[in-house]
Amino acid sequence: MKSRWAPIIKTMPRRGPLPNLEDYAKACAGFSWEEARRELAGLPGGGGLNIAYEAVDRHVDAGFGGRVAIRWIGKHGDVRDYTYAQLKILSDRFANVLGGLGIGKGDPVFALCGRIPELYIATLGSLKNRSVFCPLFSAFGPEPIRSRLSIGEAKLLVTTESLYNRKIAALRDSLPALQRVLIIRDGAVRGEEMAGTVDYDRAMEGASERFSISPTSPEDRALLHFTSGTTGFPKGAVHVHDAAVAHHATGRFALDMKPGDVFWCTADPGWVTGTSYGIIAPLTNGITNLVVESEFDPEQWLDILEREKVSVWYTAPTAIRMLMKGGAAPVKRRRYPALRLLASVGEALNPEAVVWGREAFGLPFHDNWWQTETGGIMISNFASMDVRPGSMGRPIPGIEAAIVRRTENGGAEEIREPDVQGELALRPGWPSMFRAYWNEPERYRQCFAGGFYLTGDLARRDEDGYFWFIGRSDDVIKSSGHLIGPFEVESALLEHEAVAEAAAIGVPDPVAGELVKAFVTLKPGYAGSPELQRGILGLARSRLGAAVAPKEIEFRSALPRTRSGKIMRRLLKAQALGLPEGDLSTLEVPS
Amino acid sequence: MSEPRKSGKDLKEAVLRILGEIAPDADLSRLKPDENLREALDIDSMDFLRFASKIEQELGVPVPESDYRKLGTLAACVRYLEAASKIPSSTPAPFGRFVA
């Protein structure tokens, strides 16, 4: 099975210094997680391992407190630098604020805000306090926010005035576990005190700037990231402090982080990439992490790449394809002498985009693959390795990836011959593997079989060990790199008085990969009209937010169901794609 | 293919109509002219792309990627469309360009 895209051969001399991972085979042979763990300092006095200590304090202790840890670029163009020493003080203060509010070890602390400095301070401070930190995407509507706060039993929420008023205030009564809300002022409600909330600035001012991190076991819970499945509500993947070992090592191997680098990960911390690589990995590696508050804008992003002398850029297929729409000329108008690695994640990057990177920037995009559950990059194209456009690359040293088929007795067996499609699976045991779904042991158990973690992604491996993504084995939708559960979308649509049934699928889109499209049937007495379409769409948007709500709604007189009554999203998808509809023997024909 | 030049008011109404199709949940009567559209109406990047392409298709004004930042607010959109309508075009747009 040969790709029609020629490999991109990495020849000497290359731009910039030699990659950290110079020789793939050698790096794999000589790797152990125990040794990778020794790259981190550990808490002083043998107190265990704490992500925030590795990310911030240890650099200050080592005399690098004056380095810029975070360069923040606000949406109005304002720039603020935070050194490691400043970040230590601010995260210490935040940890003390939590303690003062009665929030302790293992307590879930949630954040709902844009990419503002306080988000990064809250993340690190919560980790120091050994609370479990869960950042939520601020573009979620009230319903995804409510379900995640509720499932994750949030005890404290950090948010802004405006988001609180728009999305939280009305939910407070339905969230009995939520004891405290810390409010970051953004001028939305000037001078007004908001009942039942605590002012962030005032709490920070009143807190001590010295905090001593208590002993932290590497297996203590640290982070909670929600992800979606085909059925049911979102599930919260739990990661532990030991995950920092993988964040750090993959930052070095896959993203080639080196001292002096300016690293820019465009993902929002509300998605796992934006935390593992938008906060933790660059900081444990002691480099400057660029944080850009505003959403994608082609001219502005290119300006930032040039002006900030970004050395490694980690972005997403949707952003790359949006840049491609504008052509290579705007990219070529600027100079990027510091830029030496372009990387992409979120969904499989199409080969055209990989190659376009070389045309526009003089560098190919390096795709990599991982999921919320894996906590860090698992399979990657490396700076030193030839790129096969369209492939996700080869496993990170220390990761054993396989293609498996599920067996009838609930097991899984490895497919060893190359180029056979199966489910992508990983041998458990890497440090950033999720340790649980919050309060859902059964759902967690179901992810493992035959000694593997089963990823739900279909893939093949070629004879040289490169993995190629094929599709999902379930019905989840991947839009702009974000996983969306159809059930969550359908539940919101069913709230509309006119909707009898709903089914949400992903339809192909040249920029987003997939867009959410919903098919609905109407209750008797309702007729499909553009007004009703807008009404249903409006309700879905107000409940779910733009990131999750459908972009298109189609009326149907009936939805295809199996004989057991399950709506067949796959059939709707096959119809939408104009594909063969497969075996329809279990289909109920609507009368 | 020529039609009377649209006034600022017509252009504003056209922009609001398109925004209403993309974000039917938004209360457009409360949208201030200088408010950031993406924030005020909860419009994400994909919504914005659709907004730009609807402006192209329905108002016949091409919007290159590099101009997206000029469509940040309602007032900015109207200014952009007004300026675009003053540039004579040698090739008629499929849906009727505003001709000066």
Side-chain angles (χ1 to χ4, degrees):
Chain A
M1 226 180 291
K2 287 275 173 254
S3 166
R4 67 188 181 87
W5 295 86
I8 296 172
I9 309 291
K10 302 292 180 62
T11 48
M12 301 288 276
R14 60 185 82 246
R15 201 191 276 189
L18 280 175
N20 294 330
L21 188 152
E22 228 181 295
D23 180 314
Y24 179 71
K26 239 193 248 174
C28 289
F31 182 86
S32 76
W33 287 113
E34 288 67 37
E35 205 164 308
R37 203 166 275 115
R38 283 198 285 276
E39 296 280 316
L40 301 180
L43 282 171
L49 179 70
N50 185 293
I51 294 175
Y53 182 81
E54 302 302 332
V56 183
D57 295 16
R58 75 155 166 149
H59 304 303
V60 181
D61 291 350
F64 302 121
R67 278 191 200 158
V68 175
I70 291 178
R71 167 161 287 191
W72 177 78
I73 301 176
K75 59 187 172 196
H76 304 298
D78 34 338
V79 178
R80 267 191 246 164
D81 283 347
Y82 294 85
T83 64
Y84 280 93
Q86 288 169 323
L87 207 50
K88 177 181 186 316
I89 289 173
L90 289 164
S91 52
D92 277 0
R93 276 187 192 270
F94 190 85
N96 283 319
V97 166
L98 291 181
L101 292 171
I103 305 296
K105 183 183 176 190
D107 286 340
V109 170
F110 279 56
L112 177 76
C113 49
R115 290 180 293 279
I116 53 177
E118 290 86 346
L119 172 59
Y120 298 80
I121 293 160
T123 306
L124 296 162
S126 299
L127 293 169
K128 284 184 172 182
N129 193 48
R130 301 179 300 162
S131 303
V132 181
F133 189 74
C134 179
L136 295 178
F137 190 41
S138 62
F140 279 151
E143 189 44 42
I145 292 169
R146 192 202 56 76
S147 60
R148 284 160 179 78
L149 289 171
S150 169
I151 294 166
E153 299 167 297
K155 211 165 168 185
L156 180 140
L157 170 69
V158 188
T159 188
T160 63
E161 254 174 325
S162 47
L163 285 167
Y164 183 81
N165 280 305
R166 274 168 51 209
K167 299 180 180 181
I168 303 292
L171 302 176
R172 278 300 283 274
D173 290 345
S174 65
L175 299 164
L178 185 62
Q179 294 173 3
R180 302 284 193 170
V181 178
L182 267 173
I183 295 286
I184 301 156
R185 297 274 161 188
D186 58 9
V189 199
R190 267 194 197 89
E192 220 172 282
E193 273 299 326
M194 293 199 285
T197 67
V198 178
D199 186 283
Y200 173 91
D201 284 335
R202 220 173 295 160
M204 286 289 276
E205 275 162 30
S208 161
E209 59 179 48
R210 293 176 77 101
F211 182 86
S212 171
I213 302 174
S214 295
T216 310
S217 159
E219 289 300 312
D220 280 347
R221 293 181 166 201
L223 296 159
L224 177 62
H225 285 290
F226 279 89
T227 183
S228 299
T230 302
T231 55
F233 282 103
K235 42 199 177 177
V238 176
H239 292 284
V240 297
H241 282 272
D242 205 35
V245 175
H247 296 146
H248 186 80
T250 52
R252 280 177 42 77
F253 287 148
L255 300 172
D256 199 42
M257 293 176 180
K258 286 184 196 301
D261 273 350
V262 176
F263 173 77
W264 182 16
C265 167
T266 59
D268 187 275
W271 307 101
V272 68
T273 305
T275 298
S276 296
Y277 298 99
I279 307 177
I280 299 168
L283 297 182
T284 65
N285 278 286
I287 60 177
T288 296
N289 186 31
L290 196 64
V291 174
V292 178
E293 185 186 15
S294 54
E295 294 306 319
F296 177 79
D297 175 285
E299 292 287 312
Q300 190 204 9
W301 278 27
L302 293 173
D303 284 348
I304 290 172
L305 280 173
E306 178 179 47
R307 190 186 67 228
E308 299 299 333
K309 302 183 174 58
V310 172
S311 28
V312 178
W313 192 36
Y314 194 20
T315 189
T318 301
I320 298 166
R321 291 190 291 252
M322 284 189 184
L323 278 179
M324 286 171 75
K325 267 165 62 78
V331 182
K332 288 178 168 171
R333 267 203 300 276
R334 298 165 172 88
R335 291 279 167 272
Y336 319 90
L339 193 60
R340 64 168 199 279
L341 181 66
L342 301 175
S344 169
V345 78
E347 64 184 284
L349 185 63
N350 47 315
E352 294 84 352
V354 173
V355 172
W356 182 82
R358 205 151 70 143
E359 180 201 335
F361 290 97
L363 297 164
F365 279 99
H366 292 69
D367 193 9
N368 55 59
W369 176 93
W370 58 292
Q371 313 175 305
T372 304
E373 285 86 345
T374 73
I377 299 170
M378 295 285 108
I379 298 177
S380 181
N381 287 284
F382 300 97
S384 60
M385 197 173 80
D386 296 345
V387 172
R388 298 187 176 176
S391 162
M392 55 174 93
R394 294 203 275 187
I396 292 275
I399 296 300
E400 186 189 339
I403 300 295
V404 304
R405 70 169 71 86
R406 299 207 187 203
T407 55
E408 277 180 10
N409 56 6
E413 60 184 23
E414 189 172 350
I415 303 171
R416 294 188 184 274
E417 58 268 44
D419 289 324
V420 177
Q421 174 178 329
E423 185 168 356
L424 179 58
L426 303 166
R427 193 73 77 187
W430 70 95
S432 63
M433 190 181 89
F434 71 136
R435 300 296 199 273
Y437 286 128
W438 195 267
N439 282 344
E440 290 190 276
E442 184 52 28
R443 260 176 135 180
Y444 184 71
R445 204 188 53 74
Q446 286 168 0
C447 296
F448 298 88
F452 287 103
Y453 162 64
L454 303 174
T455 69
D457 278 356
L458 302 176
R460 66 180 172 88
R461 182 186 49 216
D462 69 20
E463 55 187 7
D464 299 313
Y466 283 73
F467 284 77
W468 300 75
F469 180 81
I470 290 168
R472 282 292 297 177
S473 67
D474 57 18
D475 288 344
V476 293
I477 301 161
K478 198 79 181 269
S479 188
S480 297
H482 307 146
L483 220 51
I484 295 170
F487 178 76
E488 208 172 8
V489 178
E490 292 156 7
S491 301
L493 292 166
L494 290 169
E495 284 184 46
H496 194 281
E497 56 178 10
V499 174
E501 303 173 300
I505 62 164
V507 291
D509 178 85
V511 174
E514 285 186 326
L515 287 178
V516 181
K517 177 171 181 178
F519 296 87
V520 299
T521 63
L522 298 174
K523 288 179 184 164
Y526 289 95
S529 67
E531 291 71 37
L532 185 57
Q533 214 167 20
R534 278 200 292 276
I536 297 170
L537 181 62
L539 178 90
R541 285 177 55 90
S542 66
R543 288 278 194 279
L544 300 168
V548 180
K551 299 294 182 201
E552 200 186 329
I553 288 177
E554 186 179 317
F555 296 119
R556 284 281 174 100
S557 55
L559 294 178
R561 286 178 179 273
T562 61
R563 290 197 190 280
S564 61
K566 230 175 106 191
I567 292 177
M568 293 184 77
R569 300 191 190 93
R570 318 221 108 203
L571 183 69
L572 287 167
K573 187 155 181 169
Q575 289 168 350
L577 267 60
L579 296 173
E581 294 177 4
D583 177 13
L584 303 182
S585 57
T586 59
L587 182 71
E588 182 186 285
V589 182
S591 53
Chain B
M1 197 149 71
S2 90
E3 59 179 81
R5 189 169 151 203
K6 300 229 173 181
S7 69
K9 189 163 162 282
D10 295 338
L11 290 170
K12 183 180 156 191
E13 273 166 20
V15 171
L16 285 173
R17 181 177 49 74
I18 292 171
L19 288 171
E21 286 168 19
I22 288 164
D25 49 319
D27 181 359
L28 293 169
S29 64
R30 290 177 60 183
L31 178 69
K32 294 174 201 129
D34 290 317
E35 250 183 310
N36 181 306
L37 289 179
R38 290 199 199 194
E39 285 174 24
L41 307 180
D42 189 18
I43 280 178
D44 68 8
S45 296
M46 297 313 299
D47 292 332
F48 192 82
L49 275 185
R50 281 168 60 224
F51 173 62
S53 84
K54 273 174 181 282
I55 284 189
E56 290 197 353
Q57 287 172 14
E58 295 177 23
L59 305 181
V61 175
V63 186
E65 291 258 314
S66 51
D67 283 352
Y68 283 1
R69 58 169 68 181
K70 296 176 186 165
L71 301 178
T73 66
L74 180 59
C77 287
V78 173
R79 278 198 300 275
Y80 184 83
L81 293 173
E82 276 179 333
S85 70
K86 284 176 191 153
I87 303 165
S89 169
S90 53
T91 47
F95 298 94
R97 172 180 290 273
F98 308 130
V99 177

mmCIF file of all heavy atoms in Angstrom, chain A residues 327-358:
data_model
loop_
_atom_site.group_PDB
_atom_site.id
_atom_site.type_symbol
_atom_site.label_atom_id
_atom_site.label_comp_id
_atom_site.label_asym_id
_atom_site.label_seq_id
_atom_site.Cartn_x
_atom_site.Cartn_y
_atom_site.Cartn_z
ATOM 1 N N GLY A 327 -3.192 31.011 0.732
ATOM 2 C CA GLY A 327 -2.045 30.828 -0.154
ATOM 3 C C GLY A 327 -0.718 31.030 0.567
ATOM 4 O O GLY A 327 -0.664 31.501 1.708
ATOM 5 N N ALA A 328 0.367 30.668 -0.134
ATOM 6 C CA ALA A 328 1.699 30.723 0.481
ATOM 7 C C ALA A 328 2.260 32.144 0.518
ATOM 8 O O ALA A 328 3.159 32.426 1.318
ATOM 9 C CB ALA A 328 2.652 29.798 -0.275
ATOM 10 N N ALA A 329 1.717 33.046 -0.316
ATOM 11 C CA ALA A 329 2.321 34.387 -0.421
ATOM 12 C C ALA A 329 2.398 35.137 0.906
ATOM 13 O O ALA A 329 3.463 35.657 1.250
ATOM 14 C CB ALA A 329 1.583 35.204 -1.480
ATOM 15 N N PRO A 330 1.298 35.201 1.701
ATOM 16 C CA PRO A 330 1.408 35.929 2.980
ATOM 17 C C PRO A 330 2.444 35.310 3.911
ATOM 18 O O PRO A 330 3.088 36.024 4.682
ATOM 19 C CB PRO A 330 0.002 35.796 3.589
ATOM 20 C CG PRO A 330 -0.895 35.425 2.469
ATOM 21 C CD PRO A 330 -0.059 34.694 1.462
ATOM 22 N N VAL A 331 2.612 33.995 3.843
ATOM 23 C CA VAL A 331 3.619 33.342 4.681
ATOM 24 C C VAL A 331 5.007 33.764 4.225
ATOM 25 O O VAL A 331 5.870 34.096 5.030
ATOM 26 C CB VAL A 331 3.482 31.799 4.593
ATOM 27 C CG1 VAL A 331 4.510 31.125 5.505
ATOM 28 C CG2 VAL A 331 2.076 31.358 4.955
ATOM 29 N N LYS A 332 5.188 33.777 2.918
ATOM 30 C CA LYS A 332 6.526 34.048 2.362
ATOM 31 C C LYS A 332 6.924 35.519 2.484
ATOM 32 O O LYS A 332 8.100 35.850 2.327
ATOM 33 C CB LYS A 332 6.570 33.628 0.896
ATOM 34 C CG LYS A 332 6.560 32.120 0.713
ATOM 35 C CD LYS A 332 6.566 31.779 -0.757
ATOM 36 C CE LYS A 332 6.856 30.312 -0.975
ATOM 37 N NZ LYS A 332 6.664 29.939 -2.375
ATOM 38 N N ARG A 333 5.956 36.389 2.715
ATOM 39 C CA ARG A 333 6.288 37.808 2.871
ATOM 40 C C ARG A 333 7.093 38.067 4.137
ATOM 41 O O ARG A 333 7.663 39.133 4.303
ATOM 42 C CB ARG A 333 4.996 38.635 2.932
ATOM 43 C CG ARG A 333 4.547 39.160 1.579
ATOM 44 C CD ARG A 333 3.656 40.386 1.729
ATOM 45 N NE ARG A 333 2.444 40.119 2.494
ATOM 46 C CZ ARG A 333 1.332 39.599 1.983
ATOM 47 N NH1 ARG A 333 1.279 39.270 0.712
ATOM 48 N NH2 ARG A 333 0.273 39.407 2.728
ATOM 49 N N ARG A 334 7.072 37.124 5.057
ATOM 50 C CA ARG A 334 7.746 37.314 6.344
ATOM 51 C C ARG A 334 8.954 36.388 6.449
ATOM 52 O O ARG A 334 9.117 35.471 5.650
ATOM 53 C CB ARG A 334 6.755 37.035 7.482
ATOM 54 C CG ARG A 334 5.559 37.985 7.486
ATOM 55 C CD ARG A 334 4.469 37.435 8.382
ATOM 56 N NE ARG A 334 3.372 38.372 8.589
ATOM 57 C CZ ARG A 334 2.315 38.469 7.796
ATOM 58 N NH1 ARG A 334 2.204 37.718 6.719
ATOM 59 N NH2 ARG A 334 1.350 39.328 8.073
ATOM 60 N N ARG A 335 9.770 36.646 7.470
ATOM 61 C CA ARG A 335 10.980 35.836 7.671
ATOM 62 C C ARG A 335 10.895 35.136 9.035
ATOM 63 O O ARG A 335 10.508 35.751 10.016
ATOM 64 C CB ARG A 335 12.225 36.728 7.649
ATOM 65 C CG ARG A 335 12.534 37.316 6.294
ATOM 66 C CD ARG A 335 13.262 36.302 5.402
ATOM 67 N NE ARG A 335 13.311 36.708 3.997
ATOM 68 C CZ ARG A 335 12.373 36.428 3.089
ATOM 69 N NH1 ARG A 335 11.306 35.762 3.435
ATOM 70 N NH2 ARG A 335 12.498 36.814 1.842
ATOM 71 N N TYR A 336 11.284 33.883 9.054
ATOM 72 C CA TYR A 336 11.220 33.119 10.303
ATOM 73 C C TYR A 336 12.553 32.405 10.540
ATOM 74 O O TYR A 336 12.604 31.163 10.552
ATOM 75 C CB TYR A 336 10.096 32.078 10.244
ATOM 76 C CG TYR A 336 8.818 32.567 9.587
ATOM 77 C CD1 TYR A 336 8.628 32.411 8.209
ATOM 78 C CD2 TYR A 336 7.813 33.174 10.325
ATOM 79 C CE1 TYR A 336 7.460 32.857 7.599
ATOM 80 C CE2 TYR A 336 6.645 33.628 9.723
ATOM 81 C CZ TYR A 336 6.481 33.463 8.350
ATOM 82 O OH TYR A 336 5.338 33.900 7.757
ATOM 83 N N PRO A 337 13.626 33.143 10.742
ATOM 84 C CA PRO A 337 14.931 32.482 10.859
ATOM 85 C C PRO A 337 15.038 31.564 12.080
ATOM 86 O O PRO A 337 15.833 30.626 12.077
ATOM 87 C CB PRO A 337 15.920 33.652 10.966
ATOM 88 C CG PRO A 337 15.108 34.838 11.324
ATOM 89 C CD PRO A 337 13.729 34.613 10.824
ATOM 90 N N ALA A 338 14.230 31.837 13.123
ATOM 91 C CA ALA A 338 14.339 31.006 14.338
ATOM 92 C C ALA A 338 13.525 29.716 14.218
ATOM 93 O O ALA A 338 13.735 28.770 14.975
ATOM 94 C CB ALA A 338 13.862 31.803 15.553
ATOM 95 N N LEU A 339 12.593 29.680 13.290
ATOM 96 C CA LEU A 339 11.645 28.555 13.227
ATOM 97 C C LEU A 339 12.334 27.306 12.685
ATOM 98 O O LEU A 339 12.886 27.320 11.585
ATOM 99 C CB LEU A 339 10.477 28.957 12.312
ATOM 100 C CG LEU A 339 9.227 28.087 12.317
ATOM 101 C CD1 LEU A 339 8.600 28.038 13.702
ATOM 102 C CD2 LEU A 339 8.216 28.628 11.304
ATOM 103 N N ARG A 340 12.314 26.201 13.480
ATOM 104 C CA ARG A 340 12.971 25.000 12.977
ATOM 105 C C ARG A 340 12.078 23.768 12.977
ATOM 106 O O ARG A 340 12.408 22.743 12.397
ATOM 107 C CB ARG A 340 14.263 24.724 13.746
ATOM 108 C CG ARG A 340 14.088 24.409 15.178
ATOM 109 C CD ARG A 340 15.364 23.851 15.818
ATOM 110 N NE ARG A 340 15.009 23.178 17.042
ATOM 111 C CZ ARG A 340 14.792 23.821 18.191
ATOM 112 N NH1 ARG A 340 14.946 25.126 18.278
ATOM 113 N NH2 ARG A 340 14.431 23.144 19.247
ATOM 114 N N LEU A 341 10.906 23.839 13.642
ATOM 115 C CA LEU A 341 10.020 22.670 13.615
ATOM 116 C C LEU A 341 8.558 23.116 13.609
ATOM 117 O O LEU A 341 8.147 23.939 14.416
ATOM 118 C CB LEU A 341 10.282 21.772 14.839
ATOM 119 C CG LEU A 341 9.427 20.504 14.917
ATOM 120 C CD1 LEU A 341 9.757 19.528 13.790
ATOM 121 C CD2 LEU A 341 9.598 19.792 16.263
ATOM 122 N N LEU A 342 7.797 22.528 12.678
ATOM 123 C CA LEU A 342 6.352 22.741 12.624
ATOM 124 C C LEU A 342 5.687 21.416 12.960
ATOM 125 O O LEU A 342 6.035 20.390 12.368
ATOM 126 C CB LEU A 342 5.916 23.158 11.216
ATOM 127 C CG LEU A 342 6.530 24.416 10.624
ATOM 128 C CD1 LEU A 342 6.072 24.588 9.171
ATOM 129 C CD2 LEU A 342 6.128 25.633 11.439
ATOM 130 N N ALA A 343 4.770 21.430 13.908
ATOM 131 C CA ALA A 343 4.097 20.187 14.291
ATOM 132 C C ALA A 343 2.597 20.414 14.343
ATOM 133 O O ALA A 343 2.128 21.541 14.516
ATOM 134 C CB ALA A 343 4.614 19.690 15.637
ATOM 135 N N SER A 344 1.848 19.320 14.180
ATOM 136 C CA SER A 344 0.393 19.417 14.117
ATOM 137 C C SER A 344 -0.243 18.271 14.873
ATOM 138 O O SER A 344 0.266 17.150 14.866
ATOM 139 C CB SER A 344 -0.051 19.373 12.647
ATOM 140 O OG SER A 344 -1.455 19.203 12.555
ATOM 141 N N VAL A 345 -1.368 18.558 15.504
ATOM 142 C CA VAL A 345 -2.151 17.506 16.159
ATOM 143 C C VAL A 345 -3.619 17.900 16.210
ATOM 144 O O VAL A 345 -3.949 19.071 16.035
ATOM 145 C CB VAL A 345 -1.640 17.222 17.597
ATOM 146 C CG1 VAL A 345 -2.105 18.285 18.577
ATOM 147 C CG2 VAL A 345 -2.068 15.843 18.056
ATOM 148 N N GLY A 346 -4.481 16.940 16.449
ATOM 149 C CA GLY A 346 -5.915 17.212 16.566
ATOM 150 C C GLY A 346 -6.698 16.222 15.729
ATOM 151 O O GLY A 346 -7.732 15.725 16.118
ATOM 152 N N GLU A 347 -6.200 15.962 14.576
ATOM 153 C CA GLU A 347 -6.755 14.945 13.694
ATOM 154 C C GLU A 347 -5.682 14.697 12.650
ATOM 155 O O GLU A 347 -4.714 15.457 12.560
ATOM 156 C CB GLU A 347 -8.027 15.453 13.029
ATOM 157 C CG GLU A 347 -7.738 16.628 12.129
ATOM 158 C CD GLU A 347 -8.993 17.225 11.518
ATOM 159 O OE1 GLU A 347 -9.508 16.614 10.588
ATOM 160 O OE2 GLU A 347 -9.416 18.287 11.985
ATOM 161 N N ALA A 348 -5.851 13.639 11.862
ATOM 162 C CA ALA A 348 -4.833 13.317 10.864
ATOM 163 C C ALA A 348 -4.653 14.510 9.923
ATOM 164 O O ALA A 348 -5.618 15.078 9.423
ATOM 165 C CB ALA A 348 -5.253 12.085 10.093
ATOM 166 N N LEU A 349 -3.409 14.886 9.712
ATOM 167 C CA LEU A 349 -3.117 16.014 8.821
ATOM 168 C C LEU A 349 -3.003 15.472 7.392
ATOM 169 O O LEU A 349 -2.223 14.549 7.136
ATOM 170 C CB LEU A 349 -1.817 16.692 9.249
ATOM 171 C CG LEU A 349 -1.449 17.964 8.483
ATOM 172 C CD1 LEU A 349 -2.487 19.052 8.701
ATOM 173 C CD2 LEU A 349 -0.078 18.474 8.898
ATOM 174 N N ASN A 350 -3.781 16.064 6.504
ATOM 175 C CA ASN A 350 -3.769 15.578 5.120
ATOM 176 C C ASN A 350 -2.414 15.843 4.464
ATOM 177 O O ASN A 350 -1.763 16.851 4.764
ATOM 178 C CB ASN A 350 -4.906 16.229 4.317
ATOM 179 C CG ASN A 350 -4.990 17.718 4.519
ATOM 180 O OD1 ASN A 350 -4.915 18.195 5.643
ATOM 181 N ND2 ASN A 350 -5.116 18.467 3.441
ATOM 182 N N PRO A 351 -1.962 14.952 3.583
ATOM 183 C CA PRO A 351 -0.618 15.079 3.004
ATOM 184 C C PRO A 351 -0.397 16.413 2.291
ATOM 185 O O PRO A 351 0.714 16.960 2.325
ATOM 186 C CB PRO A 351 -0.532 13.907 2.010
ATOM 187 C CG PRO A 351 -1.815 13.185 2.051
ATOM 188 C CD PRO A 351 -2.651 13.729 3.165
ATOM 189 N N GLU A 352 -1.450 16.973 1.698
ATOM 190 C CA GLU A 352 -1.318 18.268 1.020
ATOM 191 C C GLU A 352 -0.799 19.318 1.995
ATOM 192 O O GLU A 352 0.032 20.160 1.652
ATOM 193 C CB GLU A 352 -2.683 18.746 0.470
ATOM 194 C CG GLU A 352 -3.281 17.909 -0.632
ATOM 195 C CD GLU A 352 -4.058 16.702 -0.123
ATOM 196 O OE1 GLU A 352 -4.012 16.411 1.097
ATOM 197 O OE2 GLU A 352 -4.684 16.020 -0.952
ATOM 198 N N ALA A 353 -1.315 19.269 3.233
ATOM 199 C CA ALA A 353 -0.934 20.275 4.235
ATOM 200 C C ALA A 353 0.496 20.058 4.718
ATOM 201 O O ALA A 353 1.225 21.022 4.964
ATOM 202 C CB ALA A 353 -1.908 20.220 5.417
ATOM 203 N N VAL A 354 0.891 18.776 4.828
ATOM 204 C CA VAL A 354 2.263 18.467 5.246
ATOM 205 C C VAL A 354 3.240 19.090 4.243
ATOM 206 O O VAL A 354 4.204 19.765 4.606
ATOM 207 C CB VAL A 354 2.467 16.931 5.298
ATOM 208 C CG1 VAL A 354 3.935 16.593 5.562
ATOM 209 C CG2 VAL A 354 1.570 16.310 6.361
ATOM 210 N N VAL A 355 2.949 18.866 2.974
ATOM 211 C CA VAL A 355 3.826 19.311 1.899
ATOM 212 C C VAL A 355 3.751 20.838 1.735
ATOM 213 O O VAL A 355 4.750 21.500 1.461
ATOM 214 C CB VAL A 355 3.431 18.579 0.593
ATOM 215 C CG1 VAL A 355 4.181 19.142 -0.591
ATOM 216 C CG2 VAL A 355 3.688 17.089 0.745
ATOM 217 N N TRP A 356 2.570 21.388 1.950
ATOM 218 C CA TRP A 356 2.394 22.839 1.822
ATOM 219 C C TRP A 356 3.293 23.588 2.800
ATOM 220 O O TRP A 356 3.816 24.664 2.485
ATOM 221 C CB TRP A 356 0.927 23.215 2.061
ATOM 222 C CG TRP A 356 0.655 24.674 1.895
ATOM 223 C CD1 TRP A 356 0.441 25.345 0.722
ATOM 224 C CD2 TRP A 356 0.572 25.661 2.940
ATOM 225 N NE1 TRP A 356 0.232 26.682 0.962
ATOM 226 C CE2 TRP A 356 0.302 26.900 2.310
ATOM 227 C CE3 TRP A 356 0.690 25.623 4.328
ATOM 228 C CZ2 TRP A 356 0.151 28.095 3.040
ATOM 229 C CZ3 TRP A 356 0.539 26.792 5.048
ATOM 230 C CH2 TRP A 356 0.277 28.009 4.402
ATOM 231 N N GLY A 357 3.496 22.990 3.978
ATOM 232 C CA GLY A 357 4.389 23.604 4.964
ATOM 233 C C GLY A 357 5.751 23.871 4.345
ATOM 234 O O GLY A 357 6.361 24.926 4.574
ATOM 235 N N ARG A 358 6.227 22.915 3.567
ATOM 236 C CA ARG A 358 7.551 23.070 2.968
ATOM 237 C C ARG A 358 7.549 24.178 1.919
ATOM 238 O O ARG A 358 8.497 24.953 1.825
ATOM 239 C CB ARG A 358 7.990 21.751 2.339
ATOM 240 C CG ARG A 358 9.497 21.678 2.276
ATOM 241 C CD ARG A 358 9.999 20.295 2.354
ATOM 242 N NE ARG A 358 9.674 19.590 1.127
ATOM 243 C CZ ARG A 358 10.496 18.697 0.572
ATOM 244 N NH1 ARG A 358 11.658 18.446 1.127
ATOM 245 N NH2 ARG A 358 10.134 18.071 -0.503
#
